[in-house]
């Protein structure tokens, strides 16, 4: 039996170890502790109050507060399940049946492995679609390695709330962008558990002031984790674009991803495959092709699985530089690489249109938790 006497300062001191990821301040400084702290023997209860209607970090903060109290006060404190959350009154309502009413098509971009160029393809596809006159939003859902702030030259941006308390996406090259990287230090995110990550993600999707969009692209984290499924199943995703290199190890993972999406429990349409790093073409020899990662691996996989091959993107130094410099090559629509991404965008549009023409309303997956 515990032999300590609990008192409020003991609790508030412990809570000062919990930081609010949005600002980096501790939650006491941030004013998130409501004035309902109760202590009854070893039982402690209180609420976290948020000035917004929703907060992507609420659930993770509750867990972090529990851990802080159990760690810094005593493991015997009865705190589990005793922390409430209070949000500002909603100024707007999210319709769970249709969380993104202004969005016509939602495209998830997936890769089985990291490093195959999923984010590069997402960024360039978004820019190419915007260049073609579509209204485009891009969500960087790669919680553990957000790269869109850099790729869109938006590092350090801190999106603000609009009058309805929704998060206003940042914008560059005609694309509205939200990334978890705008809100947290990526090093902190690597410690997040699946639940925290998918919650934050969901909030960015449903609480973003996306407005009217023709295409809403979601750059998923690599692999086939629960985060993907939760995200994809909550939204009526139009389809998935799978990015891979032609290399056998990457193809094996791409195949795994495709079969996950095709699984009857998930049942999300595959719009097609993108073969990235399809060949290397030196700038000075634009007609030469060197098949560094193997030749046409994705093309063959697409044929085998009967899915579209949406594009083949070569390895070109300017693509890498465009990513690092915060100006995707697709911005230069007439360059060789710009044309490759334009073609990809046109093929994605065609695949979406085909899908929408042939879709039966009930086929769209909407699983609510
Ligand atoms: P992922 O999102 O799959 O982890 P990235 O898009 O971050 O992969 O790409 C990994 C690295 O490869 C980055 O440095 C990126 O600039 C580079 N890269 C991706 N695609 C190409 C390409 N087609 N040509 C040249 N470099 C590329």
């Amino acid at each position: 039996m515990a032999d300590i006497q609990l008192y409020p300062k003991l609790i508030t001191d412990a809570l000062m170890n919990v930081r609010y990821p949005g600002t980096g301040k501790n939650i006491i400084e941030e004013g998130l502790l409501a004035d309902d702290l109760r202590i009854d023997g070893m039982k402690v209860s209180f609420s976290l109050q948020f000035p917004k209607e929703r907060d992507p970090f609420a659930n993770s903060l509750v867990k972090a507060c529990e851990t802080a109290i159990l760690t810094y006060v005593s493991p015997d404190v009865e705190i589990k399940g005793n922390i409430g959350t209070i949000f500002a009154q909603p100024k707007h309502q999210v319709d769970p049946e249709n969380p993104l009413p202004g969005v016509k098509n939602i495209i998830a971009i997936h890769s089985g492995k990291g490093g195959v160029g999923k984010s590069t393809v997402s960024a360039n596809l978004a820019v190419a679609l915007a260049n073609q006159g579509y209204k485009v939003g891009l969500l960087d859902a790669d919680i553990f390695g957000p790269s869109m702030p850099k790729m869109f030259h938006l590092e350090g941006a801190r999106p603000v709330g609009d009058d309805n308390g929704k998060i206003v996406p940042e914008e560059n090259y005609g694309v509205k962008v939200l990334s978890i990287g705008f809100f947290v230090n990526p090093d902190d995110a690597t410690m997040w558990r699946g639940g925290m990550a998918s919650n934050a993600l969901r909030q960015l999707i449903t609480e973003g002031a996306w407005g009217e969009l023709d295409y809403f692209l979601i750059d998923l984290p690599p692999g086939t984790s629960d985060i993907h499924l939760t995200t994809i199943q909550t939204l009526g995703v139009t389809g998935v674009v799978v990015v891979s290199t032609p290399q056998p190890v990457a193809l094996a993972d791409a195949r795994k991803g495709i079969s996950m999406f095709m699984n009857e429990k998930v049942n999300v349409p595959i719009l097609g495959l993108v073969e990235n790093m399809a060949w290397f073409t030196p700038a000075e020899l634009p007609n030469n092709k060197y098949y560094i990662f193997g030749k046409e691996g994705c093309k063959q996989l697409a044929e085998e699985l009967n899915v579209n091959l949406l594009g083949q993107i070569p390895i070109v130094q300017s693509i890498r530089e465009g990513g690092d410099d915060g100006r995707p090559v697709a911005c230069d629509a007439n360059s060789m690489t710009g044309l490759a991404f334009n073609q990809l965008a046109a093929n994605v549009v065609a695949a979406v249109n085909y899908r929408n023409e042939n879709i039966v309303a009930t086929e769209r997956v909407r699983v609510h938790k």
Side-chain angles (χ1 to χ4, degrees):
M1 195 56 211
D3 55 359
I4 62 163
Q5 174 77 42
L6 298 183
Y7 54 93
K9 184 157 188 311
L10 216 48
I11 304 297
T12 50
D13 280 353
L15 293 178
M16 286 168 94
N17 293 292
V18 179
R19 298 205 167 274
Y20 179 66
T23 60
K25 287 189 194 160
N26 77 55
I27 60 162
I28 305 289
E29 280 179 289
E30 194 66 34
L32 297 185
L33 182 65
D35 58 0
D36 60 355
L37 176 63
R38 299 268 176 283
I39 297 174
D40 181 7
M42 290 303 283
K43 183 172 171 194
V44 173
S45 68
F46 59 85
S47 303
L48 295 177
Q49 60 183 10
F50 297 89
K52 295 179 253 172
E53 292 161 37
R54 301 249 174 115
D55 192 299
F57 305 113
N59 289 345
S60 51
L61 283 174
V62 166
K63 290 272 176 294
C65 289
E66 285 177 3
T67 307
I69 288 171
L70 296 174
T71 310
Y72 295 103
V73 182
S74 156
D76 296 324
V77 178
E78 294 166 37
I79 185 66
K80 287 252 156 77
N82 293 337
I83 304 177
T85 46
I86 303 169
F87 296 96
Q89 284 302 309
K91 291 185 193 145
H92 64 90
Q93 297 289 348
V94 174
D95 174 1
E97 283 299 312
N98 191 9
L100 293 167
V103 176
K104 293 197 186 122
N105 299 292
I106 306 174
I107 299 173
I109 300 167
H110 164 87
S111 71
K113 266 170 73 67
V116 300
K118 171 181 55 59
S119 300
T120 304
V121 168
S122 301
N124 281 287
L125 174 59
V127 171
L129 286 167
N131 279 343
Q132 292 177 15
Y134 296 107
K135 295 191 186 107
V136 183
L138 173 61
L139 178 81
D140 181 4
D142 199 340
I143 297 268
F144 305 109
S147 46
M148 290 310 161
K150 188 172 187 54
M151 288 192 178
F152 277 82
H153 210 287
L154 291 169
E155 292 137 306
R158 291 283 172 272
V160 293
D162 68 5
D163 290 345
N164 293 319
K166 288 200 157 197
I167 310 163
V168 181
E170 297 293 326
E171 194 164 340
N172 208 357
Y173 312 123
V175 178
K176 293 180 180 174
V177 183
L178 272 183
S179 167
I180 202 79
F182 293 146
F183 302 95
V184 292
N185 177 345
D187 295 341
D188 294 342
T190 53
M191 298 179 333
W192 289 8
R193 293 183 310 273
M196 290 156 82
S198 54
N199 248 327
L201 203 53
R202 215 177 132 157
Q203 300 272 318
L204 283 183
I205 295 170
T206 58
E207 297 303 303
W210 295 104
E212 301 279 317
L213 295 180
D214 296 307
Y215 293 96
F216 181 41
L217 308 187
I218 305 182
D219 179 19
L220 293 172
T224 50
S225 75
D226 281 353
I227 302 174
H228 300 70
L229 294 178
T230 322
T231 309
I232 282 181
Q233 292 183 321
T234 317
L235 298 164
V237 169
T238 313
V240 182
V241 169
V242 178
V243 181
S244 181
T245 62
Q247 198 181 1
V249 282
L251 289 170
D253 287 349
R255 182 193 291 272
K256 227 191 293 177
I258 292 174
S259 68
M260 174 186 79
F261 291 116
M262 283 179 163
N263 179 296
E264 59 182 24
K265 288 201 189 108
V266 182
N267 194 19
V268 180
I270 303 290
L271 293 172
L273 259 170
V274 179
E275 184 169 86
N276 189 34
M277 311 196 191
W279 58 79
F280 170 64
T281 293
E284 60 282 10
L285 295 168
N287 295 321
N288 286 25
K289 293 180 175 179
Y290 302 93
Y291 296 92
I292 291 174
F293 291 116
K295 194 174 177 188
E296 298 186 339
C298 295
K299 186 166 178 244
Q300 284 153 18
L301 184 63
E303 277 163 15
E304 184 197 325
L305 300 178
N306 198 21
V307 300
N308 299 314
L309 181 69
L310 296 167
Q312 289 176 297
I313 309 292
I315 303 179
V316 185
Q317 189 170 332
S318 62
I319 296 182
R320 199 273 303 152
E321 288 168 351
D324 287 347
D325 297 346
R327 187 181 155 81
V329 287
C331 291
D332 303 313
N334 293 321
S335 62
M336 187 262 281
T337 48
L339 290 172
F341 284 111
N342 260 333
Q343 187 57 53
L344 169 65
N347 290 343
V348 168
V349 170
V352 167
N353 289 342
Y354 178 82
R355 176 77 212 155
N356 287 341
E357 279 156 22
N358 291 284
I359 203 167
V360 189
T362 51
E363 262 190 282
R364 295 194 85 171
V365 182
R366 290 188 191 281
V367 177
H368 298 290
K369 302 222 161 162

